[in-house]
Every structure is written in structure tokens, then in C-alpha cells.
Amino acid sequence: PLFATRGCPYSCRHYCVYPLQQGTKIRLRSPKTIVEEMIHMQEQFGASLFLFRDPVFSLNRKHTVQLCEEIIRTGMKCNFIIETHLNNLDKNLSQLLKRAGLVMVKVGIESADDDSMKSVKRFTIEQDDQFRRIRYLERLGIKVTCFYIFGLPEDDVEGCIRTIEYAKSINSYGAQFSVFTAYPGTPVYKEYEDRITASSFEEFTQYQLVFKHKNISSDQMRMIMSRAYREYYTNPKWIIKVMRKFISNH
């Protein structure tokens, strides 16, 4: 793991801990220094896969282009994974990232329900555009893992099930389902402080409700999480897609 940037200015700091940990101001490392660190890790430890832990990789397009060009200029052979927002990945930048060694992108889709997204100040791009950008990345040979959140303030059971169906329709290489969690220190924690049901912070795992939700019970959330992982990873379309990818790589 390594960093190219720190800080995140996005409005989802309402519930996200990245701005709490790193602030909202973006700080950029020198592309030359980043690549020197990668080369050092290769030579000293045999590292061949790097995970950029930037809250949102590619926030600064010019910096991202310079980093890719520096990797390509040195001739180093490496693969790397990033976490970013689909809004930041156009065709030209996706192609350049692929040339530099990008093998997987992790992106937050969060929910299929617009009202639920607005309730936590989360912005996104239109669903049709999400499909197009994900499919383009896949055509380049880049795997995509999508993140989804259940239990947003305006969510209900039916809305969560719609999000499961939406995830299955996107059918990305990977999917991670989490439960909306009001972390201490975030603005949303103050709103939910008197509704917290967890007895310790060790329960703040994103896999269970830690507050009394107005529409979803803890038992219902366990059912939703179980259903999401079961239906996603036993979906015949996903199995066929991954099998084809495995066969083509061997």
C-alpha cells in the first residue's frame, strides 16, 4: 500500500471518515518520489502489486497524468489498484492508467435510490453513465469492484433489495456490501448519538446496524446483507463472466 495524495473535499464527509482522518485539503506527493518508492519496494521486497490508499485517486487530473507518465518513462513493470469516483475516469485517462499498470478500480455506487443518496449528501453520476464507464474499463481489461451501502437514513427494505438488483445488473467483477455506520467524529454521529444501540465501538464494523433505524430492524439488515452476498456471488451471469475471465487468462 502507498499514497499518491491525501485529503478528500467531497460532500460525503457528512458520514465518511476519510476527511476526518486526513482533512479536506488535497496534498499531492511528487510523482517522481512516488515512483522511486515503488521501485524501492520492487527491488528490496519483490513487490509487484501496489494498492493506492488515496481516499479518491485521480482527484487532480494533472497530477495523475504526471504519475502515469513517470511510471511509463521509467519502464518499470508493475500492477496497481486504485479507489476513486467514476466521475474522475474518462476514456483518455482510463487508457493512460491502463498503460501505466492499472488492473483494478474500486468505486462507490452506494445505492440505487436517489433520495437515499441525497440524505447523506452523496453525489453520483447517472446510472446509464455508470454502466458505460464500468463497461469501458472492463473492455480495457481493468477489473471493477463496486461498493454499496445499505441502511442509509431514507432506506427501507424494498430500497435495499432494489440496490441488490442494481448491483446484479451492473455485474462488476467484485461487489462489497456495507451497512451505513455513524462513526464518532463525523457530522452524522451527532445526529444519531441518541439512537446508537451498539454497546462498544468494536461493533462499528459496517456489517451491522449500530443505531435504531426508522425503517429497518437489525434482523432485517442481517437478512439484507446475507441476501446481497448470496445472490450476487451465485448469480449465473457473474459466474459465467468470471469463468470467461479466468479461461482467457490461462
Side-chain angles (χ1 to χ4, degrees):
L2 72 162
F3 283 97
T5 65
R6 289 177 67 83
C8 179
Y10 282 170
S11 59
C12 41
R13 58 181 175 273
H14 187 62
Y15 67 91
C16 180
V17 297
Y18 276 137
L20 178 67
Q21 297 166 338
Q22 302 184 17
T24 58
K25 182 180 179 180
I26 303 299
R27 285 93 73 206
L28 311 174
R29 291 183 63 199
S30 159
K32 186 174 185 296
T33 301
I34 297 167
V35 175
E36 286 176 350
E37 180 182 351
M38 295 169 74
I39 292 172
H40 172 77
M41 291 295 183
Q42 279 192 335
E43 292 177 349
Q44 295 297 314
F45 307 108
S48 59
L49 176 64
F50 298 91
L51 172 64
F52 282 96
R53 294 298 294 124
D54 305 41
V56 186
F57 190 89
S58 71
L59 266 175
N60 185 304
R61 182 189 176 88
K62 180 180 178 181
H63 180 263
T64 304
V65 169
Q66 291 174 340
L67 174 57
C68 291
E69 290 176 342
E70 182 67 13
I71 292 173
I72 294 168
R73 185 192 67 79
T74 63
M76 70 175 296
K77 302 300 180 184
C78 69
N79 293 325
F80 59 90
I81 298 169
I82 64 172
E83 182 178 332
T84 189
H85 195 291
L86 280 173
N87 190 54
N88 299 331
L89 293 176
D90 58 36
K91 289 185 176 181
N92 288 338
L93 187 57
S94 298
Q95 292 170 7
L96 182 60
L97 284 161
K98 172 64 178 179
R99 284 181 57 207
L102 180 64
V103 293
M104 178 180 286
V105 175
K106 299 186 177 187
V107 295
I109 302 296
E110 316 306 12
S111 174
D113 187 274
D114 288 339
D115 289 337
S116 292
M117 298 280 275
K118 290 175 183 175
S119 70
V120 289
K121 300 178 174 61
R122 171 76 188 192
F123 83 95
T124 188
I125 58 178
E126 294 296 325
Q127 291 185 356
D128 287 348
D129 201 12
Q130 289 178 346
F131 272 96
R132 282 194 294 270
R133 293 184 186 229
I134 289 171
R135 293 295 174 262
Y136 184 74
L137 288 165
E138 290 177 335
R139 287 198 296 274
L140 290 177
I142 300 168
K143 296 175 182 176
V144 180
T145 293
C146 295
F147 299 147
Y148 302 90
I149 300 178
F150 299 130
L152 296 168
E154 297 303 316
D155 261 348
D156 54 24
V157 173
E158 291 74 20
C160 292
I161 292 173
R162 285 196 298 273
T163 295
I164 295 172
E165 294 304 314
Y166 183 54
K168 288 161 62 179
S169 68
I170 289 180
N171 195 32
S172 57
Y173 178 83
Q176 179 178 316
F177 302 96
S178 302
V179 178
F180 179 71
T181 302
Y183 279 108
T186 60
V188 77
Y189 182 78
K190 286 294 183 183
E191 299 175 22
Y192 286 82
E193 197 166 8
D194 60 349
R195 295 161 58 185
I196 297 295
T197 57
S199 58
S200 69
F201 289 140
E202 282 76 8
E203 296 176 48
F204 284 59
T205 61
Q206 295 189 344
Y207 286 93
Q208 58 188 322
L209 278 173
V210 297
F211 65 94
K212 185 173 177 56
H213 197 285
K214 65 178 182 179
N215 298 321
I216 305 171
S217 70
S218 294
D219 287 343
Q220 287 173 322
M221 183 57 73
R222 282 191 288 270
M223 177 275 293
I224 290 165
M225 286 288 282
S226 176
R227 175 172 176 170
Y229 278 107
R230 181 179 67 252
E231 291 192 6
Y232 193 88
Y233 288 107
T234 61
N235 182 9
K237 290 183 178 179
W238 180 84
I239 293 171
I240 291 170
K241 180 175 186 172
V242 173
M243 289 286 289
R244 284 175 174 168
K245 183 73 174 176
F246 178 81
I247 293 170
S248 66
N249 289 340
H250 293 79

